[in-house]
Amino acid sequence: MSQENDGARREAAGSKSAKILYRPFGLASSIVGGVVAGQVFRRVYKRVAPGHPDDPPKPLESEYSLREIVLASLLQGAIFALVKALVDRGGARVFQRWTGEWPGD
């Protein structure tokens, strides 16, 4: 079974030119993903902490406890990681549909 997986991996792997052509596309989608992740985080934070101001706490703001700052940072990191994974995977699939080649390994 591992030989089948290796063969499928080799078929799915993109060429070096596909990886190079994907770089600008991947960069643009990452920028858009960062903006989307920031907006999603702000909306989620407003719902999770309704009594707080619109902006989440920053590490150097003394009016927040360390617990609040750590929890906000954990939430932000999780949301950014999720959005990045979805945007990267979706972008690679769109690139594959347009070019016929997978841009990854």
Side-chain angles (χ1 to χ4, degrees):
M1 178 122 192
S2 67
Q3 288 178 341
E4 288 178 23
N5 288 341
D6 290 340
R9 240 184 245 154
R10 274 186 241 126
E11 288 176 9
S15 67
K16 193 169 194 162
S17 61
K19 290 178 188 178
I20 292 170
L21 289 172
Y22 179 72
R23 284 183 183 169
F25 184 79
L27 180 62
S29 66
S30 291
I31 292 169
V32 170
V35 171
V36 169
Q39 294 299 318
V40 169
F41 170 63
R42 283 189 186 93
R43 288 184 183 195
V44 169
Y45 185 78
K46 283 180 188 177
R47 289 185 182 225
V48 171
H52 284 264
D54 290 340
D55 292 330
K58 294 177 182 66
L60 298 179
E61 293 178 339
S62 62
E63 63 267 16
Y64 296 103
S65 69
L66 179 60
R67 181 177 183 267
E68 289 174 301
I69 291 171
V70 168
L71 290 175
S73 296
L74 285 171
L75 179 62
Q76 184 179 28
I79 289 172
F80 269 79
L82 175 66
V83 170
K84 181 181 180 345
L86 293 173
V87 167
D88 287 349
R89 187 64 175 207
R93 287 191 184 264
V94 168
F95 182 84
Q96 183 183 31
R97 283 189 205 124
W98 288 348
T99 65
E101 292 192 53
W102 186 256
D105 296 338

XYZ file of all heavy atoms in Angstrom:
805
model
N 0.817 -1.190 0.000
C 0.000 0.000 0.000
C 0.860 1.251 0.000
O 0.476 2.250 -0.565
C -0.926 -0.033 1.215
C -1.791 1.160 1.354
S -3.476 0.599 1.373
C -4.296 2.114 1.193
N 2.032 1.191 0.622
C 2.884 2.368 0.663
C 3.417 2.714 -0.720
O 3.674 3.871 -1.012
C 4.034 2.176 1.650
O 4.904 1.169 1.177
N 3.566 1.707 -1.605
C 4.015 1.992 -2.970
C 2.951 2.788 -3.723
O 3.275 3.653 -4.510
C 4.336 0.699 -3.710
C 5.605 0.047 -3.212
C 5.873 -1.265 -3.928
O 4.971 -1.861 -4.520
N 7.119 -1.707 -3.873
N 1.673 2.481 -3.472
C 0.595 3.234 -4.104
C 0.601 4.681 -3.627
O 0.407 5.590 -4.421
C -0.761 2.591 -3.790
C -0.995 1.296 -4.500
C -2.327 0.680 -4.111
O -3.223 1.421 -3.663
O -2.467 -0.534 -4.257
N 0.814 4.894 -2.333
C 0.862 6.247 -1.789
C 2.039 7.023 -2.368
O 1.918 8.197 -2.688
C 0.962 6.231 -0.265
C -0.332 5.801 0.387
O -1.383 5.854 -0.231
N -0.253 5.356 1.620
N 3.198 6.364 -2.504
C 4.359 7.038 -3.091
C 4.100 7.421 -4.539
O 4.461 8.497 -4.978
C 5.607 6.147 -3.015
C 6.123 5.987 -1.585
O 5.776 6.833 -0.737
O 6.861 5.011 -1.332
N 3.445 6.533 -5.285
C 3.126 6.826 -6.678
C 2.141 7.975 -6.795
O 2.283 8.859 -7.634
N 1.139 7.978 -5.947
C 0.154 9.063 -5.963
C 0.805 10.378 -5.572
O 0.488 11.427 -6.122
C -0.993 8.748 -5.013
N 1.729 10.318 -4.620
C 2.436 11.530 -4.213
C 3.268 12.088 -5.355
O 3.314 13.280 -5.570
C 3.344 11.219 -3.022
C 2.996 12.021 -1.824
C 3.947 11.764 -0.708
N 3.181 11.132 0.339
C 3.637 10.331 1.257
N 4.897 10.043 1.304
N 2.846 9.822 2.155
N 3.946 11.204 -6.078
C 4.766 11.670 -7.195
C 3.907 12.271 -8.297
O 4.279 13.251 -8.911
C 5.605 10.518 -7.749
C 6.908 10.360 -7.009
C 7.782 9.326 -7.665
N 7.996 8.294 -6.666
C 7.765 7.017 -6.826
N 7.349 6.549 -7.977
N 7.967 6.167 -5.868
N 2.732 11.680 -8.538
C 1.831 12.230 -9.549
C 1.288 13.588 -9.127
O 1.112 14.468 -9.947
C 0.665 11.271 -9.791
C 1.055 10.031 -10.534
C -0.098 9.064 -10.674
O -1.234 9.437 -10.332
O 0.144 7.937 -11.123
N 1.017 13.743 -7.846
C 0.456 14.997 -7.346
C 1.509 16.086 -7.209
O 1.196 17.254 -7.193
C -0.219 14.768 -5.996
N 2.771 15.684 -7.094
C 3.832 16.674 -6.907
C 3.968 17.535 -8.151
O 3.866 17.067 -9.276
C 5.151 15.968 -6.609
N 4.168 18.809 -7.919
C 4.292 19.743 -9.021
C 5.710 19.828 -9.547
O 6.672 19.439 -8.887
N 5.836 20.346 -10.729
C 7.153 20.551 -11.301
C 7.788 21.795 -10.703
O 7.136 22.583 -10.024
C 7.029 20.703 -12.816
O 6.346 21.911 -13.115
N 9.065 21.954 -10.963
C 9.777 23.121 -10.436
C 9.207 24.406 -11.036
O 9.084 25.418 -10.353
C 11.270 22.996 -10.747
C 12.121 23.951 -9.996
C 13.582 23.602 -10.131
C 14.352 24.375 -9.088
N 15.667 23.826 -8.861
N 8.837 24.369 -12.307
C 8.270 25.574 -12.931
C 6.915 25.928 -12.325
O 6.595 27.106 -12.165
C 8.137 25.384 -14.443
O 7.272 24.307 -14.737
N 6.126 24.915 -11.946
C 4.835 25.194 -11.314
C 5.043 25.862 -9.963
O 4.322 26.794 -9.605
C 4.035 23.901 -11.146
N 6.049 25.416 -9.227
C 6.343 26.024 -7.930
C 6.753 27.481 -8.094
O 6.346 28.341 -7.322
C 7.439 25.249 -7.219
C 6.993 23.889 -6.749
C 8.138 23.149 -6.095
C 7.733 21.732 -5.800
N 8.820 20.967 -5.202
N 7.540 27.763 -9.104
C 7.997 29.138 -9.349
C 6.830 30.014 -9.794
O 6.673 31.146 -9.336
C 9.149 29.152 -10.377
C 10.388 28.510 -9.755
C 9.445 30.572 -10.841
C 11.512 28.246 -10.739
N 5.997 29.498 -10.694
C 4.844 30.261 -11.165
C 3.818 30.503 -10.061
O 3.096 31.497 -10.089
C 4.166 29.535 -12.337
C 4.932 29.525 -13.651
C 4.233 28.611 -14.657
C 5.043 30.928 -14.203
N 3.772 29.600 -9.090
C 2.803 29.721 -8.010
C 3.198 30.787 -6.992
O 2.337 31.331 -6.312
C 2.634 28.371 -7.301
C 1.656 28.419 -6.160
C 0.291 28.526 -6.407
C 2.086 28.389 -4.840
C -0.618 28.585 -5.369
C 1.179 28.452 -3.795
C -0.167 28.545 -4.072
O -1.064 28.598 -3.037
N 4.479 31.111 -6.892
C 4.937 32.039 -5.848
C 4.176 33.365 -5.818
O 3.707 33.773 -4.762
C 6.436 32.279 -5.972
C 7.238 31.118 -5.462
C 8.704 31.389 -5.522
N 9.439 30.211 -5.090
C 10.717 30.068 -5.227
N 11.442 31.015 -5.783
N 11.308 28.964 -4.813
N 4.043 34.102 -6.931
C 3.287 35.361 -6.853
C 1.818 35.135 -6.501
O 1.223 35.906 -5.753
C 3.415 35.978 -8.245
C 4.360 35.148 -9.000
C 4.623 33.898 -8.235
N 1.244 34.073 -7.021
C -0.138 33.730 -6.726
C -0.287 33.409 -5.239
O -1.216 33.873 -4.573
C -0.559 32.531 -7.593
C -1.994 32.146 -7.446
C -2.983 32.858 -8.093
C -2.361 31.060 -6.665
C -4.322 32.503 -7.963
C -3.686 30.692 -6.525
C -4.667 31.422 -7.173
N 0.631 32.632 -4.699
C 0.608 32.271 -3.291
C 0.816 33.476 -2.386
O 0.183 33.593 -1.335
N 1.695 34.389 -2.805
C 1.936 35.601 -2.019
C 0.683 36.469 -1.955
O 0.298 36.941 -0.886
C 3.099 36.392 -2.619
C 3.477 37.687 -1.914
C 3.931 37.411 -0.495
C 4.563 38.402 -2.690
N 0.041 36.660 -3.084
C -1.180 37.469 -3.124
C -2.286 36.836 -2.281
O -2.975 37.529 -1.518
C -1.651 37.650 -4.565
N -2.438 35.522 -2.379
C -3.484 34.867 -1.586
C -3.154 34.911 -0.101
O -4.055 35.017 0.729
C -3.717 33.430 -2.059
O -2.593 32.625 -1.823
N -1.878 34.894 0.260
C -1.495 35.002 1.672
C -1.834 36.374 2.243
O -2.274 36.489 3.393
C -0.003 34.734 1.842
O 0.294 33.391 1.587
N -1.629 37.406 1.454
C -1.964 38.759 1.901
C -3.470 38.876 2.128
O -3.918 39.385 3.158
C -1.453 39.806 0.895
C 0.074 39.840 0.917
C -2.034 41.185 1.188
C 0.693 40.643 -0.203
N -4.238 38.387 1.172
C -5.694 38.417 1.315
C -6.122 37.579 2.523
O -6.981 37.989 3.310
C -6.383 37.914 0.024
C -7.871 37.715 0.231
C -6.121 38.883 -1.117
N -5.498 36.426 2.706
C -5.809 35.570 3.843
C -5.510 36.239 5.174
O -6.266 36.097 6.136
N -4.420 37.007 5.245
C -4.090 37.733 6.467
C -5.135 38.778 6.809
O -5.519 38.938 7.979
N -5.609 39.470 5.789
C -6.655 40.477 6.007
C -7.948 39.806 6.467
O -8.588 40.264 7.424
C -6.884 41.311 4.717
C -8.094 42.201 4.851
C -5.642 42.123 4.383
N -8.304 38.722 5.818
C -9.519 37.991 6.188
C -9.396 37.455 7.613
O -10.331 37.568 8.416
C -9.797 36.848 5.191
C -10.889 35.916 5.692
C -10.161 37.419 3.827
N -8.243 36.883 7.951
C -8.036 36.334 9.292
C -8.156 37.424 10.354
O -8.731 37.192 11.424
C -6.676 35.651 9.384
N -7.633 38.615 10.068
C -7.747 39.720 11.014
C -9.189 40.112 11.254
O -9.605 40.353 12.401
N -9.969 40.157 10.195
C -11.390 40.503 10.330
C -12.155 39.421 11.084
O -13.005 39.721 11.933
C -12.011 40.727 8.945
C -11.464 41.925 8.209
C -11.707 43.212 8.957
O -12.772 43.431 9.511
N -10.703 44.075 8.991
N -11.860 38.172 10.766
C -12.532 37.061 11.455
C -12.195 37.100 12.942
O -13.076 36.949 13.793
C -12.131 35.702 10.831
C -12.603 34.536 11.691
C -12.678 35.576 9.419
N -10.911 37.331 13.259
C -10.509 37.386 14.664
C -11.226 38.499 15.403
O -11.723 38.306 16.515
C -8.992 37.566 14.789
C -8.552 37.863 16.191
C -8.741 36.937 17.204
C -7.961 39.075 16.505
C -8.343 37.207 18.510
C -7.555 39.358 17.790
C -7.750 38.426 18.803
N -11.336 39.665 14.814
C -12.016 40.778 15.487
C -13.487 40.444 15.767
O -14.008 40.738 16.840
C -11.895 42.045 14.650
C -10.538 42.677 14.766
C -10.477 44.050 14.102
N -9.127 44.548 14.108
C -8.255 44.381 13.122
N -8.612 43.723 12.042
N -7.031 44.859 13.212
N -14.139 39.836 14.797
C -15.549 39.476 14.993
C -15.716 38.405 16.059
O -16.635 38.472 16.884
C -16.162 39.011 13.674
C -16.369 40.143 12.715
C -17.051 39.686 11.467
N -17.178 40.804 10.534
C -17.967 40.792 9.501
N -18.697 39.731 9.237
N -18.028 41.832 8.708
N -14.859 37.405 16.019
C -14.937 36.340 17.016
C -14.629 36.896 18.397
O -15.309 36.565 19.372
C -13.974 35.178 16.663
C -13.843 34.190 17.812
C -14.439 34.465 15.394
N -13.630 37.763 18.503
C -13.267 38.334 19.802
C -14.410 39.156 20.385
O -14.661 39.098 21.590
C -12.003 39.186 19.692
C -11.545 39.693 21.037
C -10.868 38.848 21.902
C -11.829 40.977 21.453
C -10.474 39.278 23.157
C -11.445 41.424 22.705
C -10.764 40.572 23.552
O -10.393 41.008 24.782
N -15.103 39.897 19.535
C -16.249 40.688 20.019
C -17.330 39.786 20.619
O -17.980 40.142 21.591
C -16.862 41.506 18.886
C -16.066 42.729 18.520
C -16.748 43.472 17.389
C -15.890 44.597 16.875
N -16.500 45.293 15.743
N -17.522 38.605 20.025
C -18.547 37.678 20.525
C -18.091 36.942 21.779
O -18.884 36.651 22.662
C -18.933 36.676 19.449
C -19.710 37.327 18.355
C -20.189 36.306 17.353
N -20.896 37.013 16.309
C -22.043 36.616 15.817
N -22.614 35.529 16.268
N -22.633 37.301 14.873
N -16.798 36.628 21.830
C -16.258 35.886 22.966
C -16.132 36.788 24.183
O -16.366 36.360 25.308
C -14.887 35.271 22.608
C -14.199 34.678 23.817
C -15.064 34.212 21.537
N -15.763 38.050 23.979
C -15.566 39.004 25.079
C -16.438 40.229 24.835
O -15.948 41.300 24.493
C -14.102 39.388 25.163
N -17.760 40.115 25.005
C -18.664 41.211 24.656
C -18.498 42.477 25.490
O -18.824 43.558 25.042
C -20.055 40.611 24.847
C -19.875 39.452 25.739
C -18.474 38.964 25.531
N -17.970 42.383 26.711
C -17.833 43.558 27.552
C -16.590 44.380 27.248
O -16.432 45.491 27.732
N -15.717 43.837 26.436
C -14.457 44.513 26.117
C -14.643 45.514 24.977
O -15.608 45.429 24.231
C -13.399 43.479 25.717
C -12.842 42.749 26.886
N -11.683 43.114 27.511
C -13.284 41.664 27.565
C -11.430 42.293 28.513
N -12.392 41.396 28.559
N -13.680 46.422 24.823
C -13.734 47.335 23.685
C -13.635 46.565 22.366
O -13.387 45.364 22.365
C -12.501 48.230 23.869
C -11.926 47.916 25.191
C -12.561 46.665 25.701
N -13.809 47.274 21.269
C -13.800 46.632 19.957
C -12.477 45.943 19.632
O -12.459 44.915 18.983
C -14.116 47.658 18.865
C -15.569 48.097 18.927
O -16.375 47.370 19.526
O -15.884 49.163 18.382
N -11.367 46.529 20.045
C -10.066 45.952 19.727
C -9.610 44.995 20.812
O -9.784 45.265 22.000
C -9.024 47.063 19.560
C -9.271 47.911 18.327
O -9.827 47.374 17.345
O -8.908 49.100 18.336
N -9.008 43.879 20.423
C -8.500 42.931 21.414
C -7.308 43.533 22.173
O -6.659 44.455 21.681
C -8.070 41.728 20.581
C -7.973 42.210 19.192
C -8.827 43.415 19.065
N -7.005 42.998 23.358
C -5.897 43.551 24.135
C -4.546 43.287 23.480
O -4.333 42.250 22.866
C -6.007 42.811 25.469
C -6.723 41.552 25.164
C -7.644 41.883 24.027
N -3.666 44.254 23.633
C -2.296 44.116 23.135
C -1.389 43.819 24.329
O -1.695 44.210 25.451
C -1.883 45.397 22.425
C -2.691 45.638 21.158
C -2.296 46.966 20.522
C -3.120 47.257 19.293
N -4.534 47.473 19.548
N -0.279 43.145 24.117
C 0.576 42.729 25.228
C 1.077 43.866 26.122
O 1.302 43.660 27.309
C 1.758 42.053 24.537
C 1.223 41.600 23.235
C 0.183 42.604 22.842
N 1.222 45.062 25.610
C 1.764 46.161 26.405
C 0.695 47.049 27.035
O 1.023 48.086 27.615
C 2.713 47.004 25.553
C 3.958 46.261 25.027
C 4.814 47.174 24.184
C 4.753 45.658 26.167
N -0.556 46.667 26.926
C -1.627 47.440 27.550
C -1.813 46.950 28.984
O -2.220 45.816 29.226
C -2.920 47.311 26.745
C -2.815 47.956 25.377
C -4.074 47.788 24.557
O -4.888 46.889 24.829
O -4.241 48.576 23.611
N -1.519 47.826 29.936
C -1.497 47.436 31.351
C -2.878 47.204 31.958
O -2.981 46.572 33.010
C -0.746 48.492 32.165
O -1.420 49.737 32.070
N -3.935 47.685 31.323
C -5.266 47.517 31.916
C -5.820 46.100 31.768
O -6.854 45.769 32.338
C -6.260 48.540 31.354
C -6.515 48.430 29.877
C -5.603 49.326 29.032
O -4.589 49.808 29.514
O -5.940 49.522 27.849
N -5.142 45.246 30.997
C -5.583 43.861 30.826
C -4.698 42.929 31.638
O -3.491 43.148 31.771
C -5.530 43.458 29.350
C -6.474 44.248 28.489
C -6.006 45.276 27.677
C -7.835 43.978 28.493
C -6.871 46.006 26.883
C -8.705 44.706 27.707
C -8.215 45.719 26.905
O -9.088 46.438 26.137
N -5.288 41.858 32.114
C -4.502 40.853 32.841
C -3.723 39.999 31.845
O -4.042 39.947 30.652
C -5.433 39.963 33.671
O -6.213 39.138 32.818
N -2.719 39.329 32.361
C -1.932 38.435 31.517
C -2.819 37.335 30.945
O -2.681 36.956 29.783
C -0.776 37.827 32.319
C 0.123 36.850 31.578
C 0.776 37.535 30.374
C 1.159 36.270 32.493
N -3.756 36.858 31.730
C -4.687 35.808 31.285
C -5.471 36.272 30.059
O -5.612 35.535 29.090
C -5.633 35.448 32.421
C -6.618 34.355 32.066
C -7.479 33.999 33.298
N -8.374 32.928 33.003
C -9.621 33.085 32.580
N -10.134 34.279 32.425
N -10.380 32.037 32.323
N -6.004 37.499 30.092
C -6.778 38.022 28.956
C -5.908 38.141 27.708
O -6.352 37.811 26.603
C -7.353 39.397 29.295
C -8.466 39.359 30.320
C -8.903 40.747 30.734
O -8.058 41.513 31.240
O -10.094 41.051 30.516
N -4.693 38.599 27.890
C -3.793 38.773 26.748
C -3.398 37.426 26.151
O -3.399 37.250 24.934
C -2.553 39.593 27.167
C -2.995 41.033 27.437
C -1.467 39.543 26.105
C -1.952 41.903 28.060
N -3.103 36.455 27.015
C -2.722 35.126 26.529
C -3.891 34.455 25.811
O -3.715 33.876 24.732
C -2.193 34.251 27.688
C -2.059 32.798 27.272
C -0.858 34.785 28.187
N -5.080 34.545 26.368
C -6.245 33.930 25.720
C -6.556 34.586 24.375
O -6.864 33.894 23.395
C -7.462 33.983 26.640
C -7.387 33.077 27.873
C -8.585 33.305 28.772
C -7.288 31.623 27.457
N -6.459 35.905 24.309
C -6.687 36.600 23.040
C -5.632 36.197 22.016
O -5.939 35.983 20.839
C -6.683 38.109 23.252
N -4.385 36.064 22.453
C -3.304 35.664 21.545
C -3.487 34.233 21.047
O -3.234 33.946 19.870
C -1.951 35.795 22.234
O -1.693 37.136 22.560
N -3.911 33.347 21.933
C -4.179 31.961 21.525
C -5.298 31.901 20.486
O -5.192 31.187 19.483
C -4.543 31.105 22.739
C -3.395 30.713 23.658
C -3.936 30.064 24.926
C -2.451 29.766 22.947
N -6.354 32.642 20.732
C -7.466 32.681 19.791
C -7.022 33.249 18.441
O -7.330 32.699 17.387
C -8.611 33.519 20.366
C -9.847 33.685 19.489
C -10.507 32.333 19.223
C -10.829 34.637 20.150
N -6.261 34.330 18.498
C -5.782 34.948 17.260
C -4.881 33.988 16.477
O -5.021 33.842 15.265
C -5.021 36.227 17.578
C -4.570 36.971 16.338
C -3.848 38.258 16.691
O -3.240 38.382 17.753
N -3.914 39.225 15.798
N -3.977 33.307 17.172
C -3.078 32.360 16.501
C -3.831 31.209 15.865
O -3.529 30.795 14.741
N -4.823 30.687 16.574
C -5.615 29.574 16.040
C -6.386 30.003 14.796
O -6.429 29.279 13.788
C -6.568 29.050 17.105
N -6.973 31.189 14.840
C -7.745 31.677 13.694
C -6.824 31.932 12.507
O -7.131 31.544 11.376
C -8.557 32.931 14.067
C -9.703 32.527 15.000
C -9.091 33.639 12.822
C -10.463 33.686 15.605
N -5.675 32.557 12.744
C -4.748 32.821 11.649
C -4.239 31.521 11.029
O -4.137 31.412 9.807
C -3.583 33.688 12.119
C -3.841 35.159 11.956
C -4.625 35.847 12.863
C -3.332 35.856 10.872
C -4.885 37.201 12.721
C -3.593 37.210 10.713
C -4.366 37.883 11.632
N -3.920 30.524 11.857
C -3.446 29.245 11.331
C -4.524 28.552 10.492
O -4.237 28.010 9.421
C -3.003 28.339 12.476
N -5.759 28.576 10.972
C -6.862 27.955 10.240
C -7.101 28.653 8.901
O -7.190 27.998 7.852
C -8.134 27.980 11.085
C -9.400 27.468 10.387
C -9.273 25.988 10.075
C -10.617 27.732 11.247
N -7.170 29.972 8.928
C -7.415 30.718 7.690
C -6.253 30.523 6.714
O -6.469 30.329 5.521
C -7.668 32.214 7.982
C -7.689 33.032 6.703
C -8.976 32.387 8.735
N -5.021 30.527 7.207
C -3.863 30.331 6.337
C -3.913 28.964 5.661
O -3.682 28.842 4.459
C -2.567 30.470 7.111
C -1.328 30.307 6.236
C -0.056 30.434 7.018
C 1.199 30.287 6.229
N 1.181 29.745 4.920
N -4.229 27.932 6.431
C -4.315 26.588 5.859
C -5.404 26.515 4.794
O -5.190 25.947 3.711
C -4.576 25.564 6.958
N -6.560 27.104 5.073
C -7.658 27.082 4.094
C -7.319 27.870 2.835
O -7.594 27.426 1.716
C -8.938 27.631 4.733
C -9.552 26.782 5.842
C -10.705 27.524 6.510
C -10.021 25.448 5.292
N -6.705 29.037 3.010
C -6.349 29.876 1.856
C -5.245 29.213 1.042
O -5.312 29.182 -0.196
C -5.941 31.291 2.318
C -5.269 32.071 1.204
C -7.154 32.046 2.836
N -4.220 28.672 1.703
C -3.137 28.016 0.982
C -3.629 26.811 0.189
O -3.288 26.630 -0.978
C -2.034 27.576 1.943
C -1.202 28.720 2.473
O -1.331 29.859 1.955
O -0.415 28.490 3.413
N -4.455 26.002 0.829
C -4.967 24.808 0.153
C -5.899 25.182 -0.998
O -5.820 24.629 -2.085
C -5.709 23.926 1.169
C -6.127 22.599 0.640
C -4.912 21.769 0.269
N -5.329 20.445 -0.129
C -4.583 19.387 -0.012
N -3.377 19.485 0.507
N -5.008 18.219 -0.400
N -6.783 26.141 -0.746
C -7.692 26.585 -1.803
C -6.946 27.215 -2.965
O -7.263 26.962 -4.130
N -5.943 28.016 -2.657
C -5.143 28.638 -3.711
C -4.405 27.603 -4.545
O -4.314 27.716 -5.777
N -3.878 26.582 -3.896
C -3.175 25.519 -4.627
C -4.141 24.756 -5.534
O -3.798 24.402 -6.667
C -2.503 24.569 -3.641
N -5.347 24.529 -5.054
C -6.339 23.819 -5.885
C -6.757 24.659 -7.095
O -6.919 24.142 -8.192
C -7.555 23.431 -5.057
C -7.267 22.305 -4.108
C -8.552 21.773 -3.505
N -8.245 20.755 -2.528
C -8.255 19.447 -2.795
N -8.544 19.035 -4.001
N -7.976 18.577 -1.849
N -6.950 25.952 -6.881
C -7.296 26.833 -8.004
C -6.151 26.854 -9.006
O -6.372 26.749 -10.220
C -7.614 28.268 -7.506
C -7.687 29.250 -8.657
C -8.918 28.266 -6.728
N -4.917 26.966 -8.532
C -3.749 26.962 -9.410
C -3.686 25.653 -10.206
O -3.403 25.657 -11.401
C -2.470 27.143 -8.579
C -1.211 27.212 -9.400
C -0.809 28.418 -9.955
C -0.432 26.085 -9.609
C 0.342 28.490 -10.710
C 0.719 26.147 -10.362
C 1.107 27.356 -10.913
N -3.974 24.542 -9.541
C -3.956 23.252 -10.223
C -5.031 23.189 -11.309
O -4.787 22.668 -12.398
C -4.154 22.107 -9.229
C -4.074 20.740 -9.878
C -4.353 19.622 -8.904
O -5.118 19.792 -7.948
N -3.739 18.482 -9.134
N -6.211 23.738 -11.036
C -7.274 23.741 -12.052
C -6.876 24.576 -13.264
O -7.188 24.227 -14.395
C -8.572 24.272 -11.464
C -9.278 23.271 -10.607
C -10.672 23.742 -10.219
N -11.041 23.070 -8.985
C -11.408 23.669 -7.871
N -11.518 24.974 -7.828
N -11.714 22.993 -6.794
N -6.217 25.715 -13.001
C -5.824 26.597 -14.102
C -4.658 26.053 -14.907
O -4.623 26.207 -16.126
C -5.432 27.970 -13.577
C -6.580 28.797 -13.089
C -7.915 28.575 -13.267
C -6.499 30.011 -12.334
N -8.662 29.564 -12.670
C -7.824 30.454 -12.094
C -5.443 30.744 -11.824
C -8.094 31.601 -11.380
C -5.732 31.900 -11.123
C -7.037 32.328 -10.899
N -3.693 25.416 -14.232
C -2.468 24.994 -14.920
C -2.375 23.499 -15.151
O -1.576 23.052 -15.983
C -1.224 25.437 -14.140
O -1.196 24.740 -12.881
C -1.195 26.934 -13.930
N -3.129 22.723 -14.372
C -3.017 21.275 -14.474
C -1.897 20.710 -13.631
O -1.662 19.505 -13.648
N -1.179 21.544 -12.898
C -0.071 21.080 -12.065
C -0.259 21.522 -10.632
O -0.688 22.641 -10.376
C 1.270 21.612 -12.568
C 1.681 21.033 -13.903
C 3.117 21.351 -14.225
O 3.981 21.058 -13.367
O 3.363 21.889 -15.301
N 0.104 20.639 -9.705
C 0.045 20.967 -8.282
C 1.310 21.747 -7.915
O 2.407 21.331 -8.247
C -0.042 19.680 -7.474
C -0.250 19.922 -6.012
C 0.687 19.812 -5.043
C -1.462 20.316 -5.361
N 0.133 20.109 -3.826
C -1.173 20.422 -3.991
C -2.749 20.583 -5.801
C -2.133 20.786 -3.047
C -3.698 20.948 -4.864
C -3.388 21.038 -3.515
N 1.169 22.882 -7.215
C 2.328 23.716 -6.933
C 3.183 23.268 -5.766
O 4.262 23.794 -5.532
C 1.707 25.078 -6.618
C 0.379 24.750 -6.044
C -0.071 23.528 -6.785
N 2.745 22.268 -5.016
C 3.483 21.833 -3.828
C 4.387 20.659 -4.101
O 4.638 20.270 -5.248
N 4.845 20.063 -3.009
C 5.768 18.909 -3.122
C 5.074 17.683 -3.611
O 3.999 17.374 -3.342
C 6.388 18.614 -1.752
C 7.254 19.784 -1.294
O 7.694 20.565 -2.143
O 7.488 19.878 -0.086
